[in-house]
Amino acid sequence: MTTIADGIDPDYFCPQPDNQALRATLGIPANRRIVVYLGLLAPYQGTNMLIEAIPQVLAAVPDTHFLIMGYPDPDSYRRYAASLGVADAVTLPGRIRYLDSHHYLGLGSVAVAPKMSLSEGSGKIPQYMALGLPVVTFDAAVSRQYLGDYGIYAAYADRADLAAKIIHTLQHPQDAQQIGQHNRVAAVANHSITHIGPQLEAVYQQILD
């Protein structure tokens, strides 16, 4: 058995120019800093905990907006955000086409990966990294495998610490930018299809031989 990691195309997932038109389409004010998430919407993905952390983030950094993309049932999460009084600071556009995802993620100042499962991979993290984003995530082995010393780790399943790490990242933009730049370099070096493709070809060749 040969294990080969998922790969990303770093020429596709790369730092994006400021896209004011997309912001406007989503109804996000131009002066907001955006925290992005893309993935399934489910408790085990940490979606509920992320939304529950938003009031604490807004109390400290009021110009923050959360762009939480994915499915299923974004309506229920819109209602949940409204119940917590943060609906105006949250956009849930639903399913995003993979071929468009780099544009949406490129709006972010910070990316989050609050997955609660300790046994499942997190393919969103290499995409975040390739886009040059700092990544706030729970402290788990899978996240550390991707991010190493440059992950921004909240204590596992700790909602308050998740919010605190998002706040700290937003309040220290120069540090966040440096972390994002390192993540971009690491994504190109370790998760690019230019490296992973030949590994797969080598397995096929070994079988043929």
Side-chain angles (χ1 to χ4, degrees):
M1 180 179 291
T2 302
T3 301
I4 299 176
D6 286 338
I8 47 91
D9 183 346
D11 294 329
Y12 190 77
F13 287 97
C14 59
Q16 300 292 301
D18 189 22
N19 192 332
Q20 290 295 326
L22 182 55
R23 275 179 176 259
T25 299
L26 292 167
I28 301 174
N31 60 348
R32 298 286 181 88
R33 286 178 286 177
I34 301 176
V35 177
V36 291
Y37 168 89
L38 176 61
L40 289 174
L41 305 181
Y44 85 95
Q45 293 282 349
T47 314
N48 296 57
M49 191 161 289
L50 174 59
I51 291 177
E52 291 162 6
I54 292 175
Q56 182 179 335
V57 175
L58 293 178
V61 190
D63 65 337
T64 306
H65 197 93
F66 286 77
L67 177 56
I68 301 174
M69 299 167 280
Y71 66 95
D73 197 15
D75 285 339
S76 68
Y77 286 99
R78 291 188 193 104
R79 291 192 295 270
Y80 193 31
S83 74
L84 297 175
V86 296
D88 290 344
V90 182
T91 298
L92 287 123
R95 187 191 297 261
I96 301 296
R97 289 197 330 143
Y98 182 82
L99 293 177
D100 296 328
S101 59
H102 60 303
H103 295 305
Y104 287 80
L105 290 172
L107 296 173
S109 298
V110 180
V112 286
K115 181 173 287 187
M116 305 293 292
S117 171
L118 296 175
S119 60
E120 185 178 88
S122 188
K124 62 176 67 64
I125 290 180
Q127 296 175 7
Y128 294 163
M129 293 171 66
L131 284 154
L133 294 171
V135 182
V136 177
T137 182
F138 285 129
D139 194 351
V142 170
S143 298
R144 286 193 176 272
Q145 185 176 358
Y146 286 120
L147 293 160
D149 293 336
Y150 287 85
I152 303 166
Y153 299 110
Y156 176 72
D158 188 326
R159 180 187 308 105
D161 199 39
L162 177 66
K165 293 301 189 293
I166 295 172
I167 292 166
H168 181 85
T169 306
L170 290 167
Q171 290 179 335
H172 296 82
Q174 291 184 336
D175 292 344
Q177 184 179 27
Q178 291 179 355
I179 291 171
Q181 290 170 348
H182 182 277
N183 285 344
R184 167 69 184 173
V185 171
V188 172
N190 301 322
H191 305 297
S192 170
I193 55 174
T194 60
H195 304 301
I196 293 169
Q199 295 177 35
L200 183 59
E201 292 172 349
V203 173
Y204 289 149
Q205 190 60 54
Q206 183 180 13
I207 295 169
L208 291 172
D209 291 344

